């Protein structure tokens, strides 16, 4: 599961970015688009942080 989780987080981030862009193009409310974009950013950060080696 150690190598699978970052891949899943990056895939989720890609889906969320695509969803946010699609909602933006369709004229959705800015708050909703921003929230989905924030979730994409959090998923990306989680994937990156998972790959950063720890102290142990």
């Amino acid at each position: 599961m150690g190598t699978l989780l970052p891949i899943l987080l990056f895939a989720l981030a890609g889906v969320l970015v695509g969803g946010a862009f699609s909602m933006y193009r369709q004229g959705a409310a800015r708050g909703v688009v921003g929230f989905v974009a924030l979730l994409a950013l959090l998923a990306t950060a989680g994937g990156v942080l998972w790959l950063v080696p720890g102290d142990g």
Side-chain angles (χ1 to χ4, degrees), residues 1-2 7 9 11 13 17-18 29-32 34 36-37 41-42 49-51 56:
M1 185 78 174
I7 294 170
L9 285 171
V17 166
R30 280 187 163 196
V32 176
V36 174
L41 182 65
L42 289 173
L49 289 175
W50 193 273
L51 293 175

Side-chain angles (χ1 to χ4, degrees), residues 15-28 33 36:
V15 169
L16 288 170
V17 166
F21 183 70
S22 176
M23 290 189 318
Y24 172 75
R25 296 272 315 244
Q26 293 178 21
V33 174
V36 174

